[in-house]
Amino acid sequence: MNLFIVNSSIGRKLVMSITGICLILFLTFHMSMNLVALISPKGYNLVCEFLGANWYALVATIFLALGFIIHMAYAFLLFLQNKKARGNNAYAVSAKPKEVEWASQNMLVLGIVVAAFLLLHLYNFWAKMQLVELMHQLGVNVCGDALSKSADGAYHIAATFQDPIYVILYLVGLGALWFHLTHGFWSALQTIGFNNQLWFNRWKCIGTIYATIIVFGFAIVAIAYFVKSVCC
Amino acid sequence: MEKSINITLKVWRQKDAKAKGAFETYKLDGISTDTSFLEMLDILNEKLITERKEPIAFDHDCREGICGMCSLYINGHPHGPDEDVTTCQLHMRKFKDGETITVEPWRLAAFPVIKDLMVNRNAYDQIIQAGGYVSINTGGVPDANAIAIPKPIADEAMDAAACIGCGACAAACKNGSAMLFVSAKVSQLALLPQGKIEAAARAKAMVAKMDELGFGNCTNTRACEAECPKSISISHIARLNREFLCAKIKD
């Protein structure tokens, strides 16, 4: 095969497509899991316990992290190659045709916003939950209070989203994610070749609906917990 | 009904491939809206020659919209603001009186400027030479029903074959990708029985040549499809991806 996923443009795009689809599947799972916190905080904590520093959760985390890292590394590689292909002289006047989505031309910028949001999110939750348990298991001394709350996801959600600044930051991150997904979804399928004239509009429509459901599912939890903190 | 307009042109002038180019401004008065864009440039060149100045170099040949020789990035659009036509089929009625029109060459690492508005599109020829053909002589026109080809497939092959290889797709692409051109050439042959046999080898060879020549990676922005004077669809890119990936997985 002569490593076509590195050496050929379509192969490199395939890597973006496959990792992107994996990340979309992860988002679907994550969003469904979060909805549990709306229905039953207790049930949500059971999920958190199940996804603590257990071997299967850690293996899944490693694969997930790999997915993110490969997707981002290839994004920068493709960006640099495409910049070189564009040449040194930029057009003095360039107009965007109406068929071209804004998101499709700004995927890297949107991706960087999403990545920044991801870092914030890891700091808010992962660093206080799975990481604490993992450190504890590795024999690092962690304070007892942090350890006792490491599987109390509902507490961390409530603690984070009582702050309106975090709610706004999360909504901005989710907005960028929505734009990223509306293009990413059909683009991933186009790259694999699962597309034709008939399916083009179908995939685009399905992708927009899918992105909206995912982003709405995430946003509603943050907003609901913020409202709860204000009212109660 | 004839009408005439006065326009200002900002044209990219570049002495040769190595020189540093710059825009020059020209004023043209009383241009009939019935003249084509290239005829307007001819009028400007006549004027420049009588003034003993160097005329503007630009590519053109058939002036019927079928040879793919004319180019020009006009007001931010390859082949100008009109839809589904080449520059030679663009008319001055698409512009307003007193308008400033910016005319640039294709700007792409793989299409270096030769002079003024002329670029070297030899890269596309090299991609065709890498595999954009059928290796055997398929003879004369066969009896209509000797090889049955469903109408939708024949139509799609014909739509792909409409590509004139002008380079507008790569020129419009923010990634400098030639995927629309390559996919049209792969599709047009892969859909028909004579071309199908070599489809996998053709896709691999043409994509390899495209990458080697320094074209970018397609990110499906659809600017190519929107600007293509022959309305080639990106569904051909999906077919190229399919052909290429299947061929690579089989290897």
Side-chain angles (χ1 to χ4, degrees), chain B residues 100-126:
Chain B
T100 301
I101 305 168
T102 309
V103 191
E104 302 174 68
W106 288 174
R107 296 187 192 277
L108 203 69
F111 291 161
V113 172
I114 299 169
K115 187 181 178 170
D116 296 341
L117 302 170
M118 245 180 201
V119 296
N120 182 353
R121 283 171 283 180
N122 182 255
Y124 270 17
D125 296 332
Q126 289 184 52

Side-chain angles (χ1 to χ4, degrees), chain B residues 55 76 78 151 186 203 206 208 222 244 251:
Chain B
K151 175 86 165 93
V186 163
M206 290 179 80
R222 298 176 68 208
F244 180 84
D251 281 355

Side-chain angles (χ1 to χ4, degrees), chain A residues 1 4 7-14 78 81-82 84-87 89-95 97-101 104-105 183 186-187 190-193 195-197 200 204, chain B residues 23 73 75-77 83 102 104-109 170-171 173-175 179 210-211 214 216-223 226-227 233-235 237-238 241-242 244-245 248 251:
Chain A
M1 281 208 276
F4 74 97
N7 297 331
S8 74
S9 58
I10 298 179
R12 287 188 290 267
K13 285 293 299 165
L14 179 72
L78 292 173
Q81 286 180 337
N82 291 349
K84 198 175 150 214
R86 201 50 281 179
N89 283 320
Y91 288 113
V93 182
S94 62
K98 61 182 184 302
E99 293 89 340
V100 176
E101 309 157 351
S104 73
Q105 298 202 307
H183 176 69
W186 75 261
S187 181
Q190 164 85 5
T191 299
I192 300 178
N195 212 348
N196 58 29
Q197 260 155 1
F200 175 75
K204 242 184 119 173
Chain B
F23 282 104
Y73 215 81
N75 280 352
H77 294 280
E83 302 219 327
T102 309
E104 302 174 68
W106 288 174
R107 296 187 192 277
L108 203 69
C173 179
K174 90 182 210 345
N175 306 314
M179 283 288 274
M210 170 184 87
D211 292 343
N217 307 275
C218 170
T219 66
N220 308 320
T221 70
R222 298 176 68 208
E227 299 289 13
S233 157
I234 60 158
S235 65
I237 297 184
N241 290 339
R242 255 191 327 267
F244 180 84
L245 292 172
K248 282 290 179 189
D251 281 355

Side-chain angles (χ1 to χ4, degrees), chain A residues 118-150:
Chain A
L118 175 71
L119 287 179
L120 175 72
H121 181 58
L122 288 177
Y123 162 73
N124 283 154
F125 291 91
W126 181 75
K128 291 172 185 166
M129 298 172 75
Q130 196 184 50
L131 186 64
V132 170
E133 285 184 29
L134 188 65
M135 301 275 263
H136 176 64
Q137 282 178 13
L138 292 174
V140 181
N141 203 6
V142 283
C143 103
D145 187 42
L147 189 62
S148 65
K149 285 191 177 120
S150 68

